[in-house]
Amino acid sequence: MRHIISILIENEAGALSRVAGLFSARGYNIESLTVAPTEDSSLSRMTLVTRGNDDIIEQITKQLNKLVDVVKLIDLAESAHIERELMMVKVKTSEATRAEIKRIADIFRGRIIDVTPTTFVIEMTGTSDKLDAFVKSIDETTIIEVVRSGATGICRGEKGLHL
Amino acid sequence: MELNGAQILVQSLKDEGVEYIFGYPGGAVLHIYDAIFQQDDVKHILVRHEQGATHAADAYARATGKTGVVLVTSGPGATNAVTGIATAYMDSIPMVVISGQVPSPVIGSDAFQEVDMVGISRPCVKHNFLVKDVTKLAETIKKAFYVASTGRPGPVVVDVPKDITDPNIKVPYKYPRKVIMRSYNPAVEGHKGQIKKAVELLLSAQRPMIYSGGGVILGEASRELIELTRTLGYPITNTLMGLGAYPATDKQFIGMLGMHGTYEANMGMHESDVILAVGARFDDRVTGKLAEFCPYAKIIHIDVDPASISKTVKVDIPIVGQVKPVLTQMIEQVKESKKQPSKKALAAWWEQIDKWRSVQCLEYDRESSLIKPQYVIEQLYEVTKGDAYITSDVGQHQMYAAQYYHFDKPRRWINSGGLGTMGFGLPAAIGVKLAFPEADVACVTGEASIQMCIQELSTALQYKTPVKIINLNNRYMGMVRQWQEFSYQSRYSHSYMDTLPDFVKLAEAYGHVGMLVENKADLRSALEEAFAMKDRTVFLDIITDRTENVYPMIESGKGHHDMKLRVAPGTPTDRELA
């Protein structure tokens, strides 16, 4: 099963490599990983998407918690949460295809943020599934590149990951 | 008080109560060595190879319970220390390793003797630090000791760039009395409800087993373990790392378990209905085939490290906490409980265990004219009255020492269990002897292992650490040979050593006493003579039966109930190679 693990970690040099190193050393799989400082500059927040059965996820969370720099973590899959990922897609365009691409982007609530005579860059946020669906719905041969941030997430309601 | 970085480092160690640093100088740590030179409180032990420094510091920690301290230079000094750091990590030994680093401005430029020590050591340390600011140095050292010695202990590396120890930059010094780390809060007390459930389950057992490991020794909980075990009257087995936590000569002790454990311990585990695992981590050398591990048992597991729980074996009642307070609570509850273990069930269980015991799985050919390695350990046990500190290397000799030297006290058995590091024994013996100069310290080794850190004989001379080296010389890498005999139709690929040095001359060349023992009849007197030489390091080169194997054995991929026992002495299999 897919799990989104949110981690508050000391904003120290090497903190990211500790987490990445743990996953490679123990043979766990990372689907995506994003990291950025929080409103408290001494802390980074990391969002990690991984897959595994319950036993593996339990070990992953325990091993992460064991890292001395990890302050707190939460498995978002355990409760109601909101997930978002940012994607930018660059596609080839022509007189004939421009309108159609714009229409599909609109359906997915994407925005065109750069236009050249031969290309569009479409910006889109949503769950990872929605982004997958968009990529599938446009003509594969027109795609020049796809850039995705990896998923981030937050708990719904008053529950949250903070000190 | 204003000090420079090098002085801060040394003063911090002093304030931490450090007695010995094991190290080796080099460019990046010269400022630190200059500060060491100008004081006498912290004594520096100059080893001959950085691996030796780590093993000596590690063994010092294992024997005393204090944190071992290592100082090495950057680059090769740091990489040479890695094996010893990994050794300490696998066995959860508190150790602080200070490694020099090239000056901050040139980090990342492939400078002379530069390696990314923080990166290299990351997978085999509990934590590591790169010091970037001299004003944070004292605090970092404090944190290093705090992290290394609390919770599940382990090695911590502090990488110190040369400019941080610059003698010309002085800053105010104050060693923090304590540190608080918001991200690090090791468990202490166990969960009360879980402990209650555990006690109820324990008291309702029909075929109970107590299985304890190195955590009991690390957690200083030997007394509590003994009290609980005796109160309950249950059989107890120890892991390789746990030997000595419960007295091996006690009647409730049924030997070590696992790959070379006793028949009674492994069969007892297999047939048990309730297992109390204390400070043990269900290592693969203990469990054998996981799918067949303890099929009838409900398992209680006490461990300070939550990640150890249900890692390989799913347990029924986990208790996260330090073993000492948890066992103390369990003892109280057992004593107060109205429910008591079923006398009838327990009597039947002991009857069964005694039947397994009667197999006498550790018997060997005592009539042999050759020197059997088991016989050497038995003689060593008698000569030292069972009261020596025994260090070992890795291989057959390690297993013989574990099986035949009956450890009655914790911290007496010093060996590399998790990583299985050959070369550990000799530097370890030096570390132990420094901690306990009056005690008998013997390094049980083999002719292959001893050569991996033999250079430390020189350290032993310099610091007058008269240890006794018991070299079980079978001219083979015995354990490799044994596996090749069992699993590769006796194709002894590169497990044979036919160009061995003359160990007697070698010992003498290093300024020690060398003794060759070739006849069984001479063994006892040689051992007595060696231990009588209180102020000399003695190298006993003992020529043992080269075909001897370690029994019993659970071959890899098999379960506890599927043990290979020794065939009767004198049968062709036993003599095939003779």
Side-chain angles (χ1 to χ4, degrees):
Chain A
M1 193 189 149
R2 180 171 178 268
H3 288 254
I4 304 175
I5 299 170
S6 267
I7 306 160
L8 278 181
I9 189 165
E10 295 287 355
N11 189 6
E12 299 271 355
L16 174 62
S17 63
R18 286 183 209 280
V19 172
L22 169 70
F23 273 70
S24 64
R26 296 198 179 261
Y28 306 138
N29 166 45
I30 299 181
E31 219 159 80
S32 73
L33 177 63
T34 69
V35 55
T38 63
E39 77 283 5
D40 173 352
S41 63
S42 69
L43 285 172
S44 288
R45 178 149 174 161
M46 213 176 260
T47 310
L48 197 149
V49 181
T50 184
R51 275 178 200 278
N53 62 31
D54 290 351
D55 291 346
I56 289 172
I57 299 297
E58 186 184 331
Q59 260 303 306
I60 288 176
T61 55
K62 281 176 172 175
Q63 292 292 349
L64 284 169
N65 263 317
K66 203 169 143 180
L67 292 177
V68 167
D69 278 341
V70 168
V71 183
K72 227 173 173 182
L73 64 80
I74 188 169
D75 179 357
L76 291 178
E78 282 178 354
S79 56
H81 66 278
I82 300 157
E83 174 194 342
R84 286 293 180 272
E85 184 174 359
L86 170 69
M87 174 170 75
M88 287 188 275
V89 186
K90 189 184 285 178
V91 290
K92 270 188 276 192
T93 57
S94 63
E95 283 294 329
T97 59
R98 238 175 243 178
E100 173 64 6
I101 292 170
K102 167 94 173 60
R103 216 159 47 84
I104 299 173
D106 284 343
I107 294 169
F108 281 87
R109 296 204 175 84
R111 291 195 302 143
I112 293 163
I113 55 171
D114 186 52
V115 177
T116 70
T118 55
T119 63
F120 275 172
V121 173
I122 302 153
E123 174 206 55
M124 188 173 292
T125 57
T127 63
S128 303
D129 288 350
K130 171 182 147 180
L131 305 188
D132 292 343
F134 174 72
V135 173
K136 272 191 200 132
S137 62
I138 53 176
D139 178 2
E140 204 182 326
T141 60
T142 66
I143 297 175
I144 298 173
E145 58 182 314
V146 175
V147 193
R148 295 173 69 150
S149 65
T152 60
I154 197 162
C155 290
R156 299 187 71 156
E158 287 189 9
K159 198 176 169 193
L161 179 65
H162 44 73
L163 289 187
Chain B
M1 184 166 47
E2 292 234 317
L3 297 175
N4 68 47
Q7 292 167 329
I8 288 175
L9 187 65
V10 176
Q11 187 64 39
S12 298
L13 297 177
K14 199 190 292 182
D15 289 344
E16 192 59 47
V18 172
E19 192 181 7
Y20 290 109
I21 313 174
F22 299 86
Y24 203 101
V29 287
L30 283 175
H31 299 326
I32 303 170
Y33 271 86
D34 198 44
I36 289 173
F37 187 81
Q38 298 178 38
Q39 57 84 52
D40 295 317
D41 298 318
V42 184
K43 294 185 253 329
H44 179 271
I45 304 297
L46 174 69
V47 293
R48 299 300 182 265
H49 185 291
E50 288 86 352
Q51 184 182 347
T54 52
H55 294 330
D58 168 323
Y60 175 88
R62 290 179 201 240
T64 61
K66 296 179 202 163
T67 301
V69 181
V70 176
L71 172 59
V72 295
T73 193
S74 64
T79 54
N80 277 346
V82 170
T83 300
I85 295 170
T87 304
Y89 181 66
M90 288 292 270
D91 291 342
S92 309
I93 305 304
M95 188 156 94
V96 169
V97 179
I98 295 150
S99 54
Q101 183 53 277
V102 299
S104 313
V106 300
I107 287 180
S109 69
D110 300 324
F112 177 64
Q113 293 196 328
E114 178 182 3
V115 293
D116 172 14
M117 184 53 175
V118 169
I120 285 179
S121 63
R122 195 195 316 111
C124 58
V125 292
K126 183 168 173 188
H127 195 55
N128 57 23
F129 298 94
L130 173 65
V131 182
K132 290 179 174 163
D133 178 352
V134 64
T135 63
K136 298 269 169 62
L137 182 57
E139 184 192 332
T140 306
I141 298 291
K142 182 76 201 176
K143 280 184 182 171
F145 277 89
Y146 172 56
V147 171
S149 60
T150 52
R152 179 178 180 178
V156 174
V157 165
V158 183
D159 204 29
V160 185
K162 191 170 183 182
D163 53 308
I164 298 292
T165 55
D166 187 337
N168 300 313
I169 300 170
K170 295 195 169 187
V171 296
Y173 169 80
K174 193 171 174 251
Y175 195 64
R177 279 182 48 217
K178 71 187 275 208
V179 281
I180 294 166
M181 295 168 75
R182 62 180 171 186
S183 62
Y184 176 72
N185 300 294
V188 187
E189 306 268 325
H191 188 276
K192 287 212 162 59
Q194 292 291 89
I195 294 174
K196 195 161 171 244
K197 273 197 328 208
V199 169
E200 275 169 25
L201 178 62
L202 257 186
L203 291 174
S204 66
Q206 305 286 301
R207 300 183 308 280
M209 274 293 265
I210 298 172
Y211 144 54
S212 83
V216 176
I217 293 169
L218 295 165
E220 303 286 358
S222 175
R223 226 173 39 180
E224 289 74 12
L225 179 72
I226 294 169
E227 190 178 348
L228 180 68
T229 307
R230 291 201 174 139
T231 306
L232 290 166
Y234 292 174
I236 179 166
T237 174
N238 287 168
T239 68
L240 179 68
M241 294 309 299
L243 293 174
Y246 191 88
T249 50
D250 188 272
K251 60 184 191 311
Q252 277 171 256
F253 185 68
I254 61 168
M256 180 171 77
L257 82 166
M259 184 170 273
H260 293 297
T262 63
Y263 184 64
E264 51 272 32
N266 286 331
M267 288 304 289
M269 288 292 283
H270 187 77
E271 297 295 330
S272 165
D273 70 338
V274 173
I275 288 167
L276 173 64
V278 192
R281 64 182 176 94
F282 298 87
D283 171 81
D284 57 282
R285 285 296 191 268
V286 159
T287 60
K289 187 178 180 183
L290 277 175
E292 288 172 19
F293 179 74
C294 300
Y296 316 112
K298 286 225 182 304
I299 302 174
I300 303 159
H301 186 190
I302 308 169
D303 206 296
V304 75
D305 175 13
S308 276
I309 286 170
S310 294
K311 184 170 69 176
T312 54
V313 172
K314 261 251 180 273
V315 302
D316 301 279
I317 304 180
I319 302 169
V320 177
Q322 288 177 359
V323 288
K324 196 183 178 88
V326 172
L327 288 178
T328 306
Q329 284 194 46
M330 288 180 90
I331 294 164
E332 280 169 21
Q333 292 190 18
V334 166
K335 285 184 174 165
E336 283 164 13
S337 174
K338 281 178 211 120
K339 196 166 168 184
Q340 286 304 318
S342 154
K343 283 204 177 104
K344 201 174 140 214
L346 198 55
W349 181 226
W350 273 112
E351 198 179 314
Q352 175 62 63
I353 287 168
D354 286 338
K355 263 186 211 153
W356 289 321
R357 263 181 176 161
S358 69
V359 168
Q360 296 194 305
C361 66
L362 293 178
E363 265 313 306
Y364 61 95
D365 181 8
R366 288 171 191 279
E367 307 306 316
S368 170
S369 59
L370 301 170
I371 304 178
K372 290 283 184 182
Q374 300 93 330
Y375 177 71
V376 180
I377 306 296
E378 286 179 342
Q379 292 298 309
L380 174 67
Y381 179 76
E382 284 180 21
V383 169
T384 57
K385 300 180 180 66
D387 201 27
Y389 286 82
I390 305 291
T391 73
S392 95
D393 276 298
V394 171
Q396 286 185 327
H397 65 269
Q398 178 189 25
M399 292 301 116
Y400 295 134
Q403 290 173 329
Y404 296 88
Y405 200 99
H406 310 292
F407 294 94
D408 277 342
K409 293 176 190 163
R411 300 194 180 280
R412 292 302 177 105
W413 169 232
I414 313 283
N415 84 128
S416 166
L419 196 67
T421 310
M422 291 168 74
F424 178 82
L426 175 57
I430 294 169
V432 175
K433 190 70 185 176
L434 284 165
F436 299 106
E438 301 306 318
D440 281 332
V441 180
C443 164
V444 174
T445 183
E447 80 290 343
S449 279
I450 190 68
Q451 292 193 73
M452 285 216 183
C453 273
I454 191 96
Q455 74 285 346
E456 300 308 330
L457 281 173
S458 181
T459 310
L461 185 70
Q462 183 173 351
Y463 298 98
K464 300 186 179 60
T465 52
V467 300
K468 312 303 171 202
I469 297 154
I470 313 295
N471 187 40
L472 303 181
N473 187 340
N474 63 355
R475 286 83 70 212
Y476 274 119
M477 288 161 216
M479 192 58 93
V480 173
R481 189 202 56 73
Q482 175 169 341
W483 281 54
Q484 288 172 335
E485 179 188 333
F486 291 171
S487 308
Y488 299 88
Q489 290 81 49
S490 299
R491 290 187 297 278
Y492 297 136
S493 181
H494 298 270
S495 55
Y496 173 57
M497 308 195 88
D498 62 350
T499 49
L500 289 168
D502 179 333
F503 286 110
V504 171
K505 280 188 186 155
L506 187 71
E508 286 169 358
Y510 274 108
H512 302 306
V513 179
M515 292 165 79
L516 177 66
V517 184
E518 292 177 290
N519 297 312
K520 196 176 175 181
D522 302 335
L523 179 67
R524 179 67 177 237
S525 57
L527 282 167
E528 282 168 356
E529 198 185 330
F531 280 94
M533 285 186 261
K534 290 283 176 205
D535 56 349
R536 300 298 298 273
T537 291
V538 182
F539 193 118
L540 282 143
D541 188 21
I542 303 167
I543 307 303
T544 60
D545 180 355
R546 57 186 336 204
T547 66
E548 189 53 86
N549 288 326
V550 180
Y551 289 104
M553 179 174 183
I554 302 173
E555 289 180 280
S556 85
K558 294 194 171 166
H560 275 169
H561 58 302
D562 199 1
M563 291 201 88
K564 195 180 178 99
L565 294 172
R566 176 180 299 279
V567 288
T571 59
T573 338
D574 203 26
R575 289 270 172 85
E576 244 168 22
L577 295 149

